[in-house]
Amino acid sequence: MIEKIQEAICKEEVDGWLFYNFRDIDPSANAILQIPEDTFASRRWFYFIPASGTPCKLVHKIEPHTLDHLPGEKYLYAGWQTMETHLAHLLKNHKTICMQYSPKAAVPYVSYVDAGTCELVKSCGVEVVSSANLIQLFEAVWSQEAIDSHNRSAQFLRTLVLEAFQHIRKCIDAQQGISEYKLQQFILERIVKENLEYHHAPIVAVNENAGDPHFSPQAENKRSIQDGDFVLIDLWGREKSENAVYADMTWMGYVGSEPTTKHQEVFNIVKQARDAAIAFIETRFSQNEKVYGYEVDDVTRNVINEAGYGEYFVHRTGHSIGRDLHWKGVNIDNLETKDERQLIEGVGFSIEPGIYMKDFGVRLEVNGYIHHGKLCVSAQPIQQKIIMI
């Protein structure tokens, strides 16, 4: 493990990677260094991996065995003065090190080190830069097992969303009534029956509620879905295994035989934006060119801006996907943050442009991952037309 980390550090052109943790505030440090879950660590510890040479660990005297599973020379401290002296010694002769820090908190998913600790480290005479690229490499790259699990979950969810649209029609025809909440629970029951984990309950949003990107239906909302309604369904899940990753998708349906001209217009714009992002990534990889998260967001956003709906696209184009629904890899984002990380082999993410207005909203979400130097979009075929319910 250490050899792989040192190889990655060299490619980042930094002098080392300093891990720091206090009462498990940095889950990435625990994951990458494979800290046993039953480790009791009530005091600060540091673990420094230089670009070459032997790592060093700095732990408290009352918890001297905290990092014993890791190689390297051990330094012990009790008082803060000794800790700072040892830390300065660890970092001596190094100029630039990376930590779980993000300038201006641009990537909150990797921004675990507090400002005071950064100040302490900088006082040792080093420059601190972000470990965001390394976090992506060691935590957000999908294994083949993860890819397979994602594809199974994605295909199930695609089948389920179409079943949910059909369920609306069955309930209407049977005059049983079906609310947003009841449809959400119908979907959730299927997800549970499939034995998938879910981050939280799926989104079912009708008409003006679809204009709220993270609308959550409530049981007390008794309004029934009926003919003429425009329906957004956003659902997600992952298999219950250690290396499984999420699938996450959003589809649009219309209760009736012909949506309004406005519905169709906005749907087409969002679809064009989604497809532009896919095409941009595919083209870059086919030409062996690098592609970055913020660039893809720009492509998507430009389509919606040029159509005159830019003010209604209020979130990033997509998020990293992994063992959690929103994970630690590159986001497709130049709105909420400027994500300058590269789409590298094995990372997974969503592409989900949306337009949200007072009377209705449209979002079309697909998942992609980079595999063998190409973009793979799961759960094919993806939505091309509004589903007529």
Side-chain angles (χ1 to χ4, degrees), residues 19-27 29-30 41-46 60 63 77 83 112-114 117:
F19 292 87
Y20 159 78
N21 216 343
F22 174 65
R23 301 181 67 86
D24 296 328
I25 60 173
D26 183 0
N30 287 350
S42 65
R43 302 299 195 273
R44 291 176 284 182
W45 60 256
F46 295 85
H60 198 280
E63 295 166 349
Y77 77 93
M83 183 194 75
Y112 295 122
V113 178
D114 63 277
T117 299

Side-chain angles (χ1 to χ4, degrees), residues 209-225:
N209 290 335
D212 177 355
H214 280 178
F215 173 77
S216 180
Q218 303 299 314
E220 57 268 22
N221 180 3
K222 304 298 185 181
R223 178 187 178 278
S224 292
I225 302 173

